[in-house]
Amino acid sequence: MGHTLIKNANIVNEGTTFTGDVLIENDLIKSIANHIDAPEGCLTIDATGKYLLPGAIDDQVHFREPGLTHKANIATESKAAAAGGITTFIEMPNTIPQATTQELLEEKFTIAAKDSYVNYSFMFGGTNDNLEELLKTDPKKVAGIKLFLGSSTGNMLVDNPEVLEKIFASTNMVISTHCEDEQTIKNNLQAALDTYGEAIPIDQHPIIRSDKACYLSSSKAIELAKKTGARLHVFHLSTAMEMELFRNDIPLKDKKITAEVCVHHLSFDSSMYADKKTFIKWNPAVKTKDDQNALWEALLDDRIDVIATDHAPHTLEEKLNSYTKAPSGGPLVQHALPAMLNFVDEGKISIEKVVEKMCHNPAILFEIEKRGYIKENYYADLVLVDPTQKWTVNKDNILYKCGWSPFEGTEFSNTITHTFVNGNLIYNNGTFDDVTKGKRITFNR
Ligand code: DOR
């Protein structure tokens, strides 16, 4: 692999941006300085005018393999992730079979070792009856435990309160939750069916999967975490109401309860259902502009710790169904970082804050070893961005297996030109290294 020297980049790291050079040696960052002389035989990349960011770490994706590979697979989606500047993903257990035993979990690691363009980990799926198996999860080798406290694709609802309390009380690992109250949703859905019959309009989605459903479930999970001392990470927050549940008066590394927001909840709001229809149908639902404003406020004042995608592809055919039949979820890994950098251009967030929420904080939160920063001796997971090269998302440049994006027609002000994974140039201006694979990430626990 040897050396690669990145020259004159605007290096964004730990709250500041400075111009300098970064030398990669094999899979690690060897040195960072104002000026580095190129060692003999070294590949040199002139990054004048470009940003150099740590590779993004996406703590919530659904890559659909095994079992749902008509929607996506680890090879196709990790390739899209590489083009999108995501160098590490953490994948969810709602595949077929579900990752609810150690053996089934390890099978996913085996597929990723063979097929993934970027680094990877997987979450173990808790159910109503697999506590013994859950407790065998190795904290140094597996990202965490995922619990669906509201049902979504794959029916993995954990709704037995005693089991839930036992899980919370007996593991030290990060428990990541999908929080939506099932009974509230059922009641709201019935009311909508009574009014509209099967022809429920898509704009009823945030009324059916309501803010109260979210609050009820996330506040209960937090109460339980406080009672048991569990380490809880609440996924994909979507409501203003829930923001009071999180704190910003202590550093992330000391928090026992943390929060994630997803790019779609920051980008879309309920006024857009008329135009985008089921292509912005997610669980939890995209809610009102006021909810979105509250998410932004909490993100910027650090009540929300990380930005992720919840990348959840379904086929075009599936999404074109009527409201009740169209599955929830959409693909995002290729477009998440460009979308956040558009917000930088609009002045909504600084580039340093984007790096904190998409690169540093997932590494802190999951205690990931030697990733998430541009630091000497850390893995060279790096992304170069040209902030002047515009492009528009269309069917011809979408890399997801499902072939569509909720961002179709959107112009991004910036282009990711290079993505390094463990020092390897995996993505270079539209071309890929299809041979080198990512690594299983490890944890300092
Ligand atoms: O909209 C969603 N789709 N939310 C989830 O939490 C699951 C996901 C999926 O797997 O389709």
Side-chain angles (χ1 to χ4, degrees):
M1 212 189 302
H3 291 105
T4 305
L5 181 61
I6 302 169
K7 297 272 318 162
N8 285 321
N10 296 318
I11 301 167
V12 187
N13 194 50
E14 293 185 271
T16 57
T17 301
F18 58 99
T19 305
D21 300 351
V22 172
L23 180 65
I24 300 170
E25 185 178 73
N26 299 324
D27 52 355
L28 300 179
I29 296 169
K30 168 89 175 158
S31 49
I32 305 160
N34 289 337
H35 176 87
I36 301 172
D37 288 321
E40 213 173 307
C42 157
L43 167 71
T44 300
I45 295 174
D46 178 13
T48 308
K50 289 186 177 173
Y51 285 113
L52 183 69
L53 317 179
I57 300 172
D58 190 347
D59 77 0
Q60 192 194 174
V61 305
H62 304 263
F63 282 178
R64 308 303 192 200
E65 193 171 1
L68 292 162
T69 51
H70 65 289
K71 297 177 195 273
N73 62 52
I74 290 176
T76 54
E77 308 313 283
S78 67
K79 185 171 181 175
I86 292 170
T87 55
T88 298
F89 66 81
I90 298 175
E91 209 265 355
M92 298 299 114
N94 58 335
T95 43
I96 301 177
Q98 296 165 344
T100 52
T101 68
Q102 297 303 326
E103 196 184 337
L104 292 168
L105 182 66
E106 281 306 317
E107 279 172 21
K108 295 176 80 167
F109 280 102
T110 305
I111 301 169
K114 183 170 68 60
D115 287 350
S116 182
Y117 284 69
V118 301
N119 305 314
Y120 49 87
S121 192
F122 294 86
M123 285 198 187
F124 180 93
T127 67
N128 280 328
D129 49 25
N130 70 348
L131 179 62
E132 203 183 313
E133 195 67 13
L134 180 152
L135 292 176
K136 294 181 197 155
T137 311
D138 184 342
K140 288 196 179 293
K141 291 171 72 183
V142 177
I145 310 297
K146 168 75 185 280
L147 300 181
F148 283 88
L149 306 184
S151 69
S152 197
T153 307
N155 271 332
M156 291 191 70
L157 188 65
V158 186
D159 56 0
N160 180 332
E162 280 137 49
V163 170
L164 208 54
E165 181 154 350
K166 265 196 199 141
I167 297 175
F168 271 57
S170 47
T171 176
N172 294 325
M173 291 189 74
V174 181
I175 299 172
S176 298
T177 53
H178 178 129
C179 289
E180 289 184 286
D181 183 67
E182 200 62 14
Q183 194 54 50
T184 307
I185 294 169
K186 271 199 186 135
N187 296 345
N188 292 342
L189 179 60
Q190 193 52 56
L193 284 167
D194 292 347
T195 309
Y196 300 103
E198 274 296 316
I200 300 175
I202 177 67
D203 64 4
Q204 294 301 298
H205 190 49
I207 295 162
I208 296 167
R209 299 192 82 108
S210 65
D211 53 357
K212 287 188 192 68
C214 294
Y215 184 86
L216 205 60
S217 176
S218 48
S219 57
K220 247 196 226 163
I222 288 170
E223 208 178 291
L224 191 56
K226 286 183 176 158
K227 179 175 164 195
T228 55
R231 172 69 191 84
L232 173 68
H233 183 42
V234 185
F235 269 167
H236 44 42
L237 288 154
S238 64
T239 73
M241 230 185 246
E242 291 165 292
M243 295 305 100
E244 62 149 26
L245 299 169
F246 301 93
R247 58 193 289 192
N248 57 4
D249 57 335
I250 53 170
L252 170 58
K253 67 174 178 40
D254 298 331
K255 288 187 185 179
K256 294 281 271 183
I257 294 160
T258 51
E260 177 206 86
V261 69
C262 288
V263 171
H264 47 282
H265 291 121
L266 296 172
S267 301
F268 306 113
D269 66 68
S270 53
S271 71
M272 299 173 179
Y273 283 113
D275 176 34
K276 297 208 175 260
K277 308 199 167 61
T278 55
F279 294 106
I280 59 165
K281 183 186 183 202
W282 271 279
N283 299 335
V286 163
K287 297 190 175 63
T288 66
K289 192 77 194 162
D290 286 346
D291 288 300
Q292 190 187 77
N293 289 340
L295 297 176
W296 270 101
E297 196 185 319
L299 177 71
L300 295 174
D301 75 15
D302 296 336
R303 279 171 291 161
I304 292 181
D305 305 289
V306 304
I307 302 171
T309 66
D310 189 9
H311 176 87
H314 298 283
T315 66
L316 201 55
E317 203 185 2
E318 289 165 339
K319 288 298 267 186
L320 284 169
N321 274 304
S322 61
Y323 171 71
T324 49
K325 299 205 175 69
S328 293
L332 278 169
V333 285
Q334 187 185 353
H335 305 112
L337 185 56
M340 291 313 300
L341 295 175
N342 254 23
F343 287 127
V344 170
D345 253 22
E346 289 166 18
K348 275 198 94 132
I349 186 168
S350 69
I351 192 160
E352 292 82 5
K353 201 79 178 165
V354 169
V355 164
E356 179 189 322
K357 302 290 180 183
M358 297 184 83
C359 315
H360 304 332
N361 283 2
I364 298 172
L365 199 152
F366 288 93
E367 300 174 275
I368 297 172
E369 244 165 4
K370 297 206 299 189
R371 301 189 190 276
Y373 291 86
I374 303 179
K375 259 192 204 167
E376 290 174 6
N377 269 320
Y378 269 52
Y379 287 103
D381 293 344
L382 298 166
V383 178
L384 275 173
V385 180
D386 181 344
T388 62
Q389 206 178 312
K390 297 186 169 68
W391 64 292
T392 300
V393 180
N394 63 49
K395 290 259 188 269
D396 294 332
N397 54 34
I398 290 171
L399 292 163
Y400 312 127
K401 183 161 191 214
C402 65
W404 65 273
S405 160
F407 281 114
E408 266 166 71
T410 299
E411 183 184 79
F412 290 127
S413 57
N414 58 87
T415 295
I416 293 164
T417 60
H418 301 73
T419 304
F420 293 88
V421 180
N422 307 307
N424 298 294
L425 186 52
I426 294 299
Y427 177 74
N428 182 1
N429 287 295
T431 62
F432 292 87
D433 171 349
D434 293 311
V435 177
T436 312
K437 300 302 161 208
K439 289 182 198 270
R440 179 174 187 156
I441 61 168
T442 51
F443 304 89
N444 277 318
R445 297 170 178 152

